[in-house]
Amino acid sequence: MKFTIASLVSAVALMTLSAVQVSALPVVPKPATAVSIEKRSIAGLNNYDCQLTAAHPRPLVLVHATLLTADSWFTFVPVLIEQGYCVFALTYGQYKGSTFGGLDYIENSAQELATFTDNVLAKMNVTQVDMVGHSQGGILGRYWIKYLDGAGKINRMVGVSPITHGTTLDGITNIAKAFNIFYPAEATFNSFAPSFYEMVNTSDFIQKLNAGGDVAPGVIQSNIATMYDEVVTPYETCFQEDAGVTNVLLQDLCILSLNEHLTMIDSYVVLQFVLNQLDPSTAKTANCLSGF
Ligand SMILES: *[C@@H]1O[C@H](CO)[C@@H](O)[C@H](O)[C@H]1NC(C)=O
Ligand SMILES: *[C@@H]1O[C@H](CO)[C@@H](O)[C@H](O)[C@H]1NC(C)=O
């Protein structure tokens, strides 16, 4: 990797640029997994007039991954709404005006999730939500429960490639490279994305998150991982160790599913797993030919 002053300046400037400009910047060679970030608005999301029903009595809060936004749920949300869920999502962790989420200190992001979810609970006049979190989004709820005021407020949590036990340095390098923003120096990362080094498995944050156990007491928990994960390595570290947790490998559902870390939320097989967890009474076998 070449490291030049010009590229350093580009990296620091990135966060003030639009997504289109970011993908145009030749900061590092674009890897095969490069992600294009699209701004979409998702119909029906964050509708506080949505009617909760006996079949779906709790609001569903979706929590996106590092470097993504609420818009990243465009595959899941229409189906969840069609199935009768009231679906809510925020963009958390924007840092120094960044377009992207998930970059701020993770403690701050957990507080943002807390504030957002407390507001959903109040407006929807209920005491509990269900939560689905992708990657970094899969641990914020547990931090909320353990260290903020979230205890008792989550009924069920589903992790989609959650960073339950953190990632490795290779993992954060890979996610950064997928967005063309990799820099080898921790100080550089910290200046625009302090969450990155907090996600490393040896960080104080991850130690604190999992102190005393990696499950949230009283919450029904399940996780789905992919063997092609290039961020959470090894992929088994997504799983929670408690016997009461349902841990599933995507390729055990559909051996031909090729989804990697970021594209898990584009998969209808993953979506079917999420639906089955949210409402086991209507669980169906995933259709492995359903695209992706
Ligand atoms: C909120 O829920 C409580 C208990 O279910 C109910 O008694 C109350 O009428 C509800 N309030 C509103 C504004 O719907
Ligand atoms: C962190 O990950 C590395 C690489 O997989 C592993 O060797 C190490 O034991 C892990 N450390 C902790 C504290 O989990």
Side-chain angles (χ1 to χ4, degrees), residues 131-150:
M131 190 169 278
V132 176
H134 177 207
S135 188
Q136 184 189 156
I139 59 165
L140 296 184
R142 279 204 292 125
Y143 193 88
W144 178 37
I145 288 172
K146 215 164 188 174
Y147 295 109
L148 303 171
D149 65 341

Side-chain angles (χ1 to χ4, degrees), residues 168 201-202 207 233-234:
T168 56
N201 66 346
T202 51
Q207 303 310 311
T233 51

Side-chain angles (χ1 to χ4, degrees), residues 165 167-169 200-203 206-207 233-234 237:
H165 301 105
T167 72
T168 56
L169 280 173
V200 176
N201 66 346
T202 51
S203 73
I206 293 293
Q207 303 310 311
T233 51
T237 62

Side-chain angles (χ1 to χ4, degrees), residues 40-77:
R40 316 185 185 211
S41 66
I42 304 176
L45 187 63
N46 297 329
N47 170 17
Y48 291 93
D49 294 326
C50 182
Q51 293 298 310
L52 296 169
T53 60
H56 304 304
R58 287 171 297 274
L60 178 60
V61 175
L62 307 180
V63 195
H64 67 76
T66 307
L67 279 165
L68 295 181
T69 65
D71 298 331
S72 67
W73 296 106
F74 60 84
T75 302
F76 279 24
V77 172

